[in-house]
Amino acid sequence: MKLILLGAPGAGKGTQAERIAKVLNVPTISTGNILREAIRNGTEIGLKAKAFMDKGALVPDEVIIGIVAERVAQPDCAGGYILDGMPRTIPQAQALEAKGICMDAVVSIEIEDAVIESRMTGRRVCSGCGASYHISANPSKVEGICDTCGKELIIRKDDTPETVKNRLRVFHAETEALKDFYASLGRLKLVDGDQDIDDVTREILTAIGVEA
Ligand code: AP5
Ligand code: MG
């Protein structure tokens, strides 16, 4: 199964990707997590991406397409994968198609901007594996520590209210059109993202025809 999770910043793509990946037993490819790791490691891609990410702008398409093409060619992706945060523009989606990277399903997690803005203030992410938590909706078992890898939880640099607003603007201007793109290919499913995390997971699994 090759699945794309579409949705605004804070819609719950990362949270759901982790859960669905466990059920499907496939890896998750989060371009945001890959870029943040590149920044931490001071790589060339990280240096290129940092200024864009800090202001909530999109990293250039060619950088993203290169990262994803390389990642999906790894052996652990042979049985499928989940793309979280890519594609983000029509050219990125066209590049996937042109490379023969055809997705089985595209799920858009639907949510209002106002809900997102309030959600983001409570988000904490793992400084090691990038897992996403929320101080009330999805707390870690031990405060400030990742359940999965034991590293410290931090606040993402681009989660300030001003940058979140900009990311939402960019989403509506550049990314939302992907819904029409995939609907015209007959692959789009819509899921209500404004419900309990478990209910969203159930709805996604139903949408892609998988028994939980
Ligand atoms: P990226 O890391 O992908 O950020 P994003 O799309 O802005 O999305 P987020 O990670 O903020 O949100 P999410 O949908 O994963 O939500 P989460 O599950 O954490 O990208 C960051 C930057 O990298 C971009 O701005 C850009 O610069 C660059 N970039 C990345 N990919 C790119 C690409 N393809 N092209 C160009 N540039 C790219 O949930 C949010 C919070 O809500 C959490 O606290 C969570 O616990 C909580 N939550 C989740 N679900 C629920 C629920 N149902 N109820 C209550 N709380 C919930
Ligand atoms: Mg995410």
Side-chain angles (χ1 to χ4, degrees):
M1 164 73 75
K2 291 185 207 148
L3 170 69
I4 289 175
L5 291 182
L6 283 183
K13 302 180 297 294
T15 303
Q16 295 300 331
E18 257 178 69
R19 296 165 147 242
I20 306 291
K22 279 191 191 131
V23 177
L24 299 179
N25 197 22
V26 296
T28 287
I29 302 174
S30 159
T31 43
N33 285 353
I34 292 172
L35 292 167
R36 280 183 287 277
E37 196 185 341
I39 291 174
R40 276 199 300 278
N41 294 336
T43 67
E44 201 183 318
I45 284 178
L47 292 174
K48 245 189 224 169
K50 188 175 184 318
F52 294 100
M53 292 176 75
D54 282 352
K55 57 180 187 232
L58 293 183
V59 174
D61 287 338
E62 64 274 13
V63 176
I64 300 293
I65 293 162
I67 290 174
V68 172
E70 197 176 298
R71 182 65 188 87
V72 300
Q74 300 295 312
D76 66 328
C77 291
Y81 43 83
I82 299 173
L83 291 184
D84 156 20
M86 197 281 181
R88 272 276 218 302
T89 62
I90 299 282
Q92 290 181 18
Q94 287 168 332
L96 291 179
E97 299 288 317
K99 285 180 187 295
I101 304 173
C102 288
M103 308 304 290
D104 300 306
V106 180
V107 171
S108 172
I109 306 176
E110 302 282 298
I111 192 155
E112 300 283 329
D113 288 10
V115 179
I116 288 169
E117 285 177 38
S118 64
R119 249 188 211 182
M120 293 307 231
T121 52
R123 175 160 63 177
R124 301 292 180 270
V125 295
C126 176
S127 56
C129 68
S132 201
Y133 296 88
H134 189 277
I135 49 174
S136 54
N138 185 25
S140 57
K141 292 193 183 95
V142 178
E143 196 184 325
I145 300 293
C146 178
D147 293 348
T148 311
C149 72
K151 296 256 166 66
E152 187 197 357
L153 301 186
I154 53 167
I155 296 176
R156 252 170 62 177
K157 215 175 162 201
D158 58 352
D159 273 352
T160 59
E162 207 32 60
T163 312
V164 168
K165 276 201 173 67
N166 197 37
R167 285 159 58 204
L168 282 169
R169 265 197 298 273
V170 170
F171 169 77
H172 293 302
E174 310 259 358
T175 308
E176 213 165 16
L178 288 172
K179 282 166 46 180
D180 286 342
F181 179 91
Y182 285 113
S184 71
L185 296 176
R187 294 190 212 142
L188 184 74
K189 318 266 182 208
L190 303 182
V191 160
D192 177 9
D194 191 10
Q195 46 182 339
D196 278 0
I197 292 175
D198 285 343
D199 293 331
V200 180
T201 307
R202 261 192 292 278
E203 213 180 304
I204 294 175
L205 290 172
T206 304
I208 61 175
V210 173
E211 292 272 321

